[in-house]
Amino acid sequence: MDGLSIIKAASAIGAGLAMIGGIGPGLGQGYAAGKAAEAVGRQPEAQGDIIKTMLIGAAVAETCGIYALIVALILIFANPWV
Amino acid sequence: MNGPKLFGYLFGLPVSETLVNTWITMAIAFVMCFVLTRNLKKHPGKAQVIGEGIVTAIDNLVGSTMGKDKMKFAPYILSLMMFLIFANTCGLYGLRSPTGDISFPLTLALITFVLIEVYTWKGRGPKGYFKEYIEPYPFMLPINIIEKFSRPVSMTFRIFGNLVGGIIIMLLAYEGLSGLTYLALIIPIPLHFYFDLFVGCIQAFIFSMLTMVFIARGMDD
């Protein structure tokens, strides 16, 4: 097996491993959405503000998942070693 | 997956699919604005009612997020949001979304970055501007500088990553469905609804909201 094949195989495995980073935002956004649902249940008249705040928080929490996606995309489509 | 196609060169500058689709997006936004704001009257017609509704909604959003004293940002936020919504939903009419190329969101994030810096300087004065770097303690200076420059990077990658993820999944779905004739008509509809409409509108809203929050926080201290 030549070196290039090993690099390609390792890149594919690395891209898969990088997407484990999707666990974190999933947990965090689910928790945020659950808390928002609780808050709406307690104070239905503040629904607009709660949804707005939740969306900003969820977007910021999503950043690390997006970074994992970018790393996986670079490994597959723009690999610097191939 | 391929990147945006290259159509050729104009005066030595590359003309890519992103550039063409950006101009198409701009044309759609311009035509919509033109139709909605043509011959305004005291007793509004249908088009004027829709236009006034959009402007009022954005005014309320800016007023409640940034404060009533910063209403001068409302036109910028409205154009940003409209441009992003039309650009992110390009997949619905068969174009490659210009947001799926990193140059487009990077440009918008840099505009936001410059706006934040300029209005922080204007709102707080030079002393307050530099004081922000050594808060809460002077040894936090490197961390504050990193935070400042990571903002446009994270804003760029948030919108770029979401849209590129959507484009790749849609491409995979269409390739996988190419053998099934009738099912291929129905199955992509919910995927288009989620990845183009929902994600696109949410990301446009979030980008505008983050722009507003950062500018207002910089000005208010």
Side-chain angles (χ1 to χ4, degrees):
Chain A
M1 203 154 80
D2 58 333
L4 196 63
S5 313
I6 296 177
I7 290 177
K8 279 182 181 168
S11 303
I13 295 173
L17 287 179
M19 284 315 292
I20 294 176
I23 293 175
L27 287 175
Q29 289 182 356
Y31 190 72
K35 284 287 177 191
E38 271 178 28
V40 172
R42 208 175 298 135
Q43 249 184 322
E45 68 276 5
Q47 195 187 17
D49 286 338
I50 291 167
I51 287 179
K52 220 160 59 185
T53 318
M54 185 202 77
L55 279 179
I56 294 178
V60 173
E62 203 182 8
T63 312
C64 59
I66 294 293
Y67 286 159
L69 176 67
I70 298 288
V71 169
L73 286 179
I74 287 175
L75 278 177
I76 293 177
F77 295 112
N79 198 321
W81 296 294
V82 171
Chain B
M1 188 196 86
N2 297 318
K5 284 195 284 286
L6 202 61
F7 288 128
Y9 289 87
L10 192 70
F11 306 120
L13 297 170
V15 179
S16 64
E17 202 177 359
T18 310
L19 194 63
V20 176
N21 290 354
T22 310
W23 277 91
I24 294 173
T25 309
M26 272 157 34
I28 294 171
F30 178 78
V31 167
M32 198 190 106
C33 289
F34 186 74
V35 168
L36 290 186
T37 57
R38 207 178 29 167
N39 56 37
L40 299 176
K41 291 192 211 76
K42 185 128 192 184
H43 299 287
K46 273 180 201 154
Q48 195 181 340
V49 169
I50 298 172
E52 281 179 1
I54 295 171
V55 172
T56 315
I58 296 292
D59 275 357
N60 288 338
L61 186 68
V62 173
S64 67
T65 313
M66 300 178 79
K68 290 285 174 208
D69 54 325
K70 299 184 196 61
M71 290 303 285
K72 62 180 173 183
F73 288 105
Y76 173 66
I77 297 297
L78 175 57
S79 16
L80 183 69
M81 201 183 265
M82 203 166 65
F83 191 33
L84 274 174
I85 284 177
F86 281 122
N88 288 350
T89 51
C90 259
L92 279 183
Y93 20 94
L95 300 171
R96 192 182 196 278
S97 173
T99 343
D101 187 339
I102 199 158
S103 55
F104 182 99
L106 182 63
T107 315
L108 293 179
L110 285 179
I111 294 174
T112 298
F113 177 70
V114 171
L115 272 179
I116 295 169
E117 297 306 305
V118 167
Y119 278 97
T120 310
W121 181 284
K122 270 191 183 171
R124 300 185 182 185
K127 206 176 148 205
Y129 178 79
F130 287 113
K131 193 164 164 279
E132 197 197 22
Y133 283 95
I134 51 165
E135 272 175 349
Y137 304 108
F139 66 85
M140 300 280 272
L141 177 70
I143 295 174
N144 281 333
I145 291 176
I146 292 173
E147 190 209 346
K148 190 145 270 195
F149 286 97
S150 74
R151 243 182 229 160
V153 174
S154 76
M155 282 172 96
T156 309
F157 281 126
R158 184 171 303 125
I159 199 157
F160 169 75
N162 271 298
L163 267 288
V164 164
I167 291 174
I168 290 174
I169 292 174
M170 290 307 300
L171 217 72
L172 285 177
Y174 273 110
E175 272 180 17
L177 291 170
S178 57
L180 316 162
T181 330
Y182 293 109
L183 282 179
L185 282 177
I186 304 162
I187 294 177
I189 294 175
L191 291 176
H192 267 300
F193 182 75
Y194 181 76
F195 287 110
D196 288 332
L197 266 181
F198 182 69
V199 169
C201 292
I202 288 277
Q203 290 305 320
F205 177 72
I206 283 171
F207 194 94
S208 324
M209 276 304 278
L210 287 177
T211 305
M212 285 190 278
V213 169
F214 286 147
I215 292 176
R217 207 173 59 183
M219 283 174 85
D220 284 344
D221 206 326

